Amino acid sequence: MRTTRRRRLRVEPLVLLGPGLAYLLVFLVVPLGLVLSYTVFQRGRFGGIVYEATAENFTRVADPLYLDVLLHSVKIAGITTLLALALGYPTAYVIAKLPAKWKTLALIAVVLPFWTNFLIRTYAWIVLLNSQGVVNSALGDLGLIDEPLQLLYTDGAIVIGLLYAYLPLMVLPLYSAIERLDPQLGEASANLGAGPVRTFLSVTLPLTLPGVLTGCVFVFVPSLGNFVIPELLGGGHSVMVGNLVRDQFLKARDWPFGSVLALTLIAVLVLLLMAQAWAARRFSGEGDRA
Amino acid sequence: MLRMSAVAVSAALALFSLAACGGGAADGKAEPDTLDPAADLSKQTLTLSNWAGYMPEDLPAKFKARTGAAVTITEHATNEEIIAKLTAGGDSGIDVAFVSGQFAQALGEQGLLEPVHADLVPNLKNLYPEATELAYDPGNKVSVPYTWGTTGLCYRKDLTGYEPDSWNDILTPRPALKKKITMLGTERWMLLPAQKALGFSANTQDEGELAKAKEALVKAKPNLLAFDDTTFGDRLKSGEAALVEAWDGWCPTTEKNIAFTVPKEGSDLWVDTMVVLKSSKNKEAAHALINYILDPEVHAWAAQNIMYKVPNQAAMESLDAALVKDYPHLGMSPADLLKQESLVDLGEAAPAYTRIVTEVTAQ
């Protein structure tokens, strides 16, 4: 009897999930499977794949050159994520405490940059940061610097560009986590004698940790894979793993090796996501709240 | 249930792989189709893929008025993008594509191009004789050149204080020019200065030569402001850069102090071409379109508006003297241009070039 009831219930989720699952299967699982299968074959002269098995692609990826690029990318994306958190948390906190009317306005302001094309916003940073640019001439006019600073074409410029591009992705999940926080918990903490710092560290932070982790993933993942910002703002002084993958597919026409690099990137990200899920469960006791 | 779907996925994968398998493999030039010179062009429609802003905007309307064939334009941002589309297998739906010479060569060797039917393109006679001697496709068998040019040094006379004439001016700059230099970041042109300064071919596949070129680039990099493909003209105008590696048409020589020169060690000869796809079902109209573009008035547009040299003698001779004075590179003779080395497809060596670029930028 129980089993028949269960069966009936199962139809509904299947209908609801069906379209989404089919979409994922066709546009995610199948392409991923293809990429996976490419890794063991050889490069065609004009791109594409020659179906002769080889393990060479995997030995090539262990080259220190590519590991350095990967580590460098993780470093850049990591710094970006930490800065986004440092800027995003207070911002989200303040927005969450605003009166309802201002809250909406503030949230619109956060997503407003997305209304302009990403490339244009990145080129704007070239205008701002170059040695004859807005920032340098302002500093010069204020008498703060004698010689223009080298701001553009540095790792710092890449971090600034990534931070600017992805900060909203940090603010939004943090906002939703902080907004849901029961204000009575803070009052209770104060009544029990905890100061604001103690309350923040023992009550607010642990309860918003899932939001923090979600925001970090949202910023870290696209930062790691971005290849436009390193090219435009980094001036080719450094290369990130996104550039590597793009170049293998489009320039070297080496799909198998590009696939190996892409899968390496995916593997790194899956590990990080697993760490995030684990941390969310471990520290908040309810990992799925964010 | 789970097992079932796993089976389904692997079956789908197998099918996909097989389909992909059928596409490539062919390596050899295609036989020409039989085309009908009297075909009714108004029954044909063309899809043309080109870089944005690379031909007159009213071209489809005027071509339709003349021949009756409708033209739809699609755009690609890079050679790589259009090649990916054309080699994906099946009919891309594109009849005519604009690609650089070395890419036309690769497409031709793969059998994806219809040989040029010279009898359907009488305007081929407008081309300079030199424009039939291009290394990637001698005799223009599968491609017709649209624009051509070279790469050189674009500099601010007032900032350099001298007239640079060698790739070494970029690779081992005078102390005053350190951090005031940019080089192109696209791989063939990133390697070009080092290859030419060392006396190598711009198409070299020799491992030893490539290693030496890489070494020169690694040494040059600390003195560069950036590798820059898009904003070097602005960097030069603002004075942030004093000397940049630039494609000839991109050097803002209308500015008072800015000049362009081809280094004494020689440079490359790049050509952008028009090709007709083997898969096109409108090959008569496709040839008519190429013929129309080779009209001197139409072809001169590229020189007048995007400052690229065109291999069309009548078109170049029709240019206003004032324009050539503003853009001296337009006055470069086809004979001088042909002394530069034509870029050809790298084939198996492409990954080696990409690796050098990665190594240099990752340093």
Side-chain angles (χ1 to χ4, degrees), chain B residues 123-178:
Chain B
N123 277 339
L124 281 171
K125 68 174 188 317
N126 294 338
L127 294 180
Y128 288 108
E130 287 86 350
T132 59
E133 300 167 25
L134 302 161
Y136 60 85
D137 181 21
N140 298 331
K141 292 195 175 66
V142 293
S143 64
V144 177
Y146 176 64
T147 52
W148 59 359
T150 184
T151 309
L153 305 174
C154 179
Y155 59 99
R156 281 269 300 255
K157 284 178 268 190
D158 55 329
L159 295 179
T160 55
Y162 76 110
E163 300 203 344
D165 65 347
S166 162
W167 288 118
N168 286 315
D169 289 306
I170 276 188
L171 296 170
T172 48
R174 297 184 179 191
L177 295 181
K178 285 186 178 170

Side-chain angles (χ1 to χ4, degrees), chain A residues 14-15 50 81 85 90 94 104 117 125 128-129 133 155-156 158 164 189 193 220 229 235 237 252 273-274 278 288 290:
Chain A
L14 212 64
V15 171
V50 172
T81 309
L85 183 60
V94 171
T104 316
N117 180 287
W125 279 105
L128 288 170
L129 294 179
D155 281 354
I158 301 180
Y164 167 74
S189 169
F220 186 84
I229 288 176
H237 281 299
L273 286 171
M274 284 165 67
W278 175 82
D288 54 348

Side-chain angles (χ1 to χ4, degrees), chain B residues 309-333:
Chain B
K309 290 185 275 290
V310 296
N312 189 314
Q313 187 158 9
M316 290 306 282
E317 280 165 3
S318 74
L319 293 183
D320 197 352
L323 184 78
V324 181
K325 190 163 169 286
D326 273 350
Y327 296 94
H329 83 85
L330 289 176
M332 191 173 176
S333 76

Side-chain angles (χ1 to χ4, degrees), chain A residues 8-22:
Chain A
R8 283 189 119 187
L9 277 174
R10 266 191 190 168
V11 178
E12 202 176 328
L14 212 64
V15 171
L16 293 174
L17 279 174
L21 276 180

Side-chain angles (χ1 to χ4, degrees), chain A residues 25 30 34 43 45-46 51 63 65-66 123 126 130-132 150 153 235-239 244 250-253, chain B residues 9 80 106 109-110 187 221 224-228 230 235 238 240 345 347 350-351 354-355 358-359 361-362:
Chain A
L25 182 71
V30 171
L34 279 177
R43 162 186 187 270
R45 192 184 152 199
F46 304 101
Y51 288 86
D63 190 317
L65 172 66
Y66 301 116
Y123 270 99
I126 299 183
N130 76 66
S131 73
Q132 312 292 321
Q150 180 64 49
Y153 307 135
H237 281 299
S238 63
V239 54
L244 273 188
L250 292 181
K251 297 187 176 167
R253 287 183 248 154
Chain B
V9 169
E80 287 82 6
E109 285 174 20
Q110 215 174 348
E187 48 201 16
K221 188 182 162 190
L224 295 181
L225 176 66
F227 290 106
D228 184 351
T230 46
R235 299 283 82 81
S238 72
E240 206 174 343
D345 183 57
T354 305
R355 186 182 160 98
T358 306
E359 285 184 67
T361 46

